[in-house]
Amino acid sequence: AQSVTQPDIHITVSEGASLELRCNYSYGATPYLFWYVQSPGQGLQLLLKYFSGDTLVQGIKGFEAEFKRSQSSFNLRKPSVHWSDAAEYFCAVAASGGSYIPTFGRGTSLIVHP
Amino acid sequence: NAGVTQTPKFQVLKTGQSMTLQCAQDMNHEYMSWYRQDPGMGLRLIHYSVGAGITDQGEVPNGYNVSRSTTEDFPLRLLSAAPSQTSVYFCASSYLAGGTDTQYFGPGTRLTVL
């Protein structure tokens, strides 16, 4: 079974600074990978996903993520953070063969200082 | 196009009471899922459905029942509420299996069991 780890519970950055949120997965083959964002009091919204092809994936709101097979990672990045990016971010992984049920990480809370 | 709707938004129950959380989607998605979100635990899958008349258990199914009589609706039933079921519940839908496609989430139901 697949698993996913988000090592950072909280990340604090200043507005305008760059951001990287870490995600590590465990799965024998190439997984399906997702990043979702949850604003306070809201449901989750997809930022981006990776299934195959180019390992650098562009998403909405200026986010990108890079799939690194050798490191089993799918880190989320943004070059310049806005105050509206303050939210909870979830990485999810699904097996590319099997039931395709996604497993979510525990989330990283992003705090943005003005 | 309302997307995924959930009712109620908030609910307080006493131990032993039963209730149904409603979920509906208007996107003609075959796949629907129920998750619970607890602090520090991320999202955990309770039950899911791959189409009308077909449901299956997720990671934490105990104490919950589901049915899928139509494509649009996927209610979650708590048979005898327990304090351990205090959580935020999210319904999600997708055109393809949740691990291979974008999942669309409802706004959530915050349930407190006293």
Side-chain angles (χ1 to χ4, degrees):
Chain A
Q2 71 271 18
S3 66
V4 60
T5 302
Q6 293 181 247
D8 303 305
I9 298 175
H10 302 284
I11 290 281
T12 301
V13 298
S14 298
E15 190 170 16
S18 63
L19 171 68
E20 182 170 37
L21 302 182
R22 296 184 291 166
C23 173
N24 295 100
Y25 68 89
S26 174
Y27 180 62
T30 300
Y32 296 138
L33 295 160
F34 306 80
W35 275 101
Y36 285 86
V37 61
Q38 183 183 31
S39 298
Q42 305 289 319
L44 279 71
Q45 179 186 21
L46 181 75
L47 282 175
L48 47 81
K49 59 188 176 186
Y50 172 80
F51 290 171
S52 65
D54 192 346
T55 57
L56 185 62
V57 181
Q58 302 297 320
I60 63 171
K61 304 185 181 187
F63 285 92
E64 67 178 26
E66 186 170 12
F67 170 59
K68 293 186 177 181
R69 184 191 303 276
S70 62
Q71 298 177 18
S72 298
S73 68
F74 189 57
N75 294 348
L76 182 71
R77 301 194 295 248
K78 186 170 185 178
S80 178
V81 170
H82 189 262
W83 64 266
S84 60
D85 293 323
E88 190 89 15
Y89 291 81
F90 293 94
C91 182
V93 60
S96 56
S99 64
Y100 305 112
I101 297 174
T103 298
F104 283 81
R106 296 189 175 192
T108 297
S109 178
L110 175 64
I111 301 165
V112 180
H113 282 315
Chain B
N1 190 331
V4 179
T5 58
Q6 292 182 239
T7 56
K9 290 188 184 299
F10 301 94
Q11 183 70 50
V12 179
L13 294 177
K14 294 181 180 179
T15 297
Q17 287 184 314
S18 63
M19 79 158 296
T20 299
L21 307 185
Q22 302 291 344
C23 174
Q25 52 92 9
D26 61 359
M27 297 174 282
N28 201 33
H29 286 167
E30 290 294 329
Y31 290 81
M32 296 187 74
S33 305
W34 275 103
Y35 294 89
R36 59 177 290 172
Q37 182 179 30
D38 303 292
M41 300 293 291
L43 274 74
R44 292 183 292 170
L45 183 66
I46 304 171
H47 285 285
Y48 66 100
S49 169
V50 301
I54 307 170
T55 63
D56 205 347
Q57 296 180 353
E59 179 185 356
V60 288
N62 293 341
Y64 306 95
N65 274 359
V66 292
S67 60
R68 184 97 179 270
S69 57
T70 68
T71 300
E72 294 78 19
D73 301 297
F74 190 42
L76 178 72
R77 297 182 186 86
L78 281 70
L79 304 177
S80 178
S84 61
Q85 294 178 304
T86 293
S87 187
V88 181
Y89 291 85
F90 289 100
C91 178
S93 75
S94 56
Y95 182 66
L96 301 174
T100 64
D101 194 11
T102 301
Q103 289 192 87
Y104 294 85
F105 286 81
T109 294
R110 185 174 294 274
L111 175 67
T112 301
V113 182
L114 303 175

